[in-house]
């Protein structure tokens, strides 16, 4: 089975507390977007093998392990443990989603492997069990079994679908700078009197007046993670007519919402000329597409 599996962005992202076990509580609106990895899963006799195919631009800057350290490999192991199905598989991932971008590239691959293995083995797990299994791999993984637009709370496991916000023109761009997720959360903990994004306002806007929703986009991590490239990309998007431009996740990709694909395309060309990854896409209604 071969599928395209979508990236995600955070239309809003707030951190509201920290648990005793170190996990942080979030309030966020997740949105799948039309930038994809291609994941191929084939059942085989024994064992798990994984290979990766990276564009030259990613290979220069992104370190992606293509062995048992990869979350997609771990997903196959978890599926076998959960179901008792011992058949092996081969996994091939063709990357289209930049890593260390706050776009869930590893999480969506893990979800895709779980979904494909479940399909190929006669669907022994329902969506809730797949999501619960995904949670053991990473906080973002369960969302991809819902996809589209969703409010996400807790540590990422509380997922409530929202009205579809698909078909909106986005430009997503990323430089080479980055901050590890752990370091980003440590900086969040050190913030004094931060300005929190209005996640509730965004949820209400998506339900009642989606054309105004961009007014509520925001990300608390922008106050904690100060990256020159993020500021440069945001400024370029806003100067080119973006309705809003916000960093996603703990960084370092930035998305801009545009009212016209032409404006987004011009900005993308300008950003590529400065050496950035830049891709025009749309908000997407689903995570997985069989190809």
């Amino acid at each position: 089975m071969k599928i395209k599996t979508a990236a995600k962005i955070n239309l809003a992202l707030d951190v509201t507390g920290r648990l005793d076990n170190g996990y942080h509580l979030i309030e966020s609106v997740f949105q799948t977007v039309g930038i994809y990895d291609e994941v191929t899963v084939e059942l085989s006799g024994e064992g798990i093998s994984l290979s990766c195919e990276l564009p030259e631009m990613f290979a220069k800057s992104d370190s992606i392990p293509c062995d048992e350290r990869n979350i997609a490999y771990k997903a196959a192991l978890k599926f076998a443990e959960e179901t008792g199905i011992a058949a092996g598989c081969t996994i091939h991932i063709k990357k289209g989603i930049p890593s260390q971008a706050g776009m869930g590239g590893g999480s969506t691959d893990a979800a895709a492997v779980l979904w494909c293995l479940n399909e190929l083995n006669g669907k022994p797990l329902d969506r809730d069990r797949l999501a619960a299994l995904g949670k053991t791999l990473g906080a973002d993984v369960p969302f991809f079994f819902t996809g589209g637009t969703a409010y996400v709370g807790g540590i990422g496991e509380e997922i409530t679908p929202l009205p579809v916000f698909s078909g909106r023109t986005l430009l997503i761009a990323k430089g080479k700078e980055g901050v590890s997720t752990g370091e980003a959360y440590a900086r969040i903990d050190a913030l004094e009197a931060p300005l929190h994004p209005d996640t509730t306002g965004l949820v209400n806007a998506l339900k009642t007046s989606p054309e105004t929703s961009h007014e509520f986009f925001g990300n608390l991590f922008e106050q904690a993670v100060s990256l020159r490239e993020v500021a440069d990309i945001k400024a370029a998007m806003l100067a080119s007519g973006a309705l809003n431009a916000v960093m996603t996740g703990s960084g370092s990709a930035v998305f801009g919402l545009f009212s016209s694909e032409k404006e987004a395309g011009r900005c993308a060309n300008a950003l590529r000329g400065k050496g950035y990854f830049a891709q025009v896409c749309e908000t997407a209604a689903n995570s997985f597409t069989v190809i």
Side-chain angles (χ1 to χ4, degrees):
M1 176 172 282
K2 183 177 182 180
I3 68 172
K4 294 195 305 182
T5 187
K8 66 86 182 163
I9 58 173
N10 301 85
L11 300 180
L13 177 56
D14 195 10
V15 178
T16 58
R18 183 178 181 180
L19 300 175
D20 291 339
N21 61 10
Y23 281 98
H24 288 76
L25 298 172
I26 66 167
E27 286 190 348
S28 184
V29 175
F30 281 30
Q31 173 68 56
T32 42
V33 299
I35 295 180
Y36 300 93
D37 285 352
E38 292 182 7
V39 176
T40 305
V41 179
E42 183 177 0
L43 299 184
S44 60
E46 293 181 1
I48 300 166
S49 65
L50 184 145
S51 57
C52 302
E53 182 179 345
L54 275 69
E56 184 178 352
M57 184 176 188
F58 292 4
K60 288 179 179 179
S61 60
D62 294 350
S63 176
I64 299 175
C66 289
D67 51 29
E68 65 276 2
R69 294 171 295 167
N70 192 295
I71 190 173
Y73 186 106
K74 295 175 182 178
L77 282 178
K78 286 285 186 181
F79 182 84
E81 292 171 2
E82 178 72 13
T83 62
I85 297 171
C89 65
T90 60
I91 302 165
H92 181 71
I93 301 172
K94 182 178 179 181
K95 294 295 294 182
I97 304 169
S99 65
Q100 299 179 354
M103 297 177 67
S107 296
T108 198
D109 292 344
V113 168
L114 291 176
W115 190 85
C116 286
L117 285 174
N118 198 54
E119 293 287 315
L120 291 169
N121 285 285
K123 299 183 180 179
L125 306 178
D126 61 22
R127 190 177 74 172
D128 288 344
R129 288 182 68 191
L130 282 172
L133 195 58
K135 180 185 171 184
T136 68
L137 294 161
D140 287 350
V141 178
F143 162 72
F144 290 101
F145 297 107
T146 299
T149 315
Y151 169 83
V152 178
I155 63 169
E157 82 285 4
E158 299 173 10
I159 301 166
T160 305
L162 292 170
V164 174
F165 192 64
S166 59
R168 315 288 171 144
T169 299
L170 296 174
L171 170 59
I172 296 178
K174 176 184 178 289
K176 294 181 174 61
E177 291 180 314
V179 175
S180 72
T181 301
E183 183 180 350
Y185 273 103
R187 293 186 185 184
I188 286 283
D189 292 337
L191 287 175
E192 295 183 7
L195 296 174
H196 292 273
D198 187 359
T199 308
T200 300
L202 174 57
V203 170
N204 291 334
L206 288 166
K207 292 177 178 178
T208 61
S209 54
E211 297 306 320
T212 68
S213 60
H214 62 273
E215 298 173 11
F216 299 94
F217 293 172
N219 186 347
L220 184 66
F221 280 96
E222 287 193 28
Q223 297 174 54
V225 178
S226 180
L227 298 175
R228 179 192 59 81
E229 291 179 336
V230 167
D232 187 37
I233 291 169
K234 285 186 62 174
M237 289 180 176
L238 293 170
S240 298
L243 299 171
N244 204 344
V246 176
M247 189 177 78
T248 182
S250 57
S252 58
V254 176
F255 69 91
L257 179 71
F258 285 79
S259 55
S260 95
E261 190 173 338
K262 188 175 182 180
E263 287 179 338
R266 282 200 298 262
C267 186
N269 289 334
L271 289 171
R272 289 188 198 112
K274 299 173 74 171
Y276 294 125
F277 166 88
Q279 185 170 333
V280 177
C281 63
E282 291 186 348
T283 51
N286 301 294
S287 299
F288 310 131
T289 305
V290 178
I291 54 178

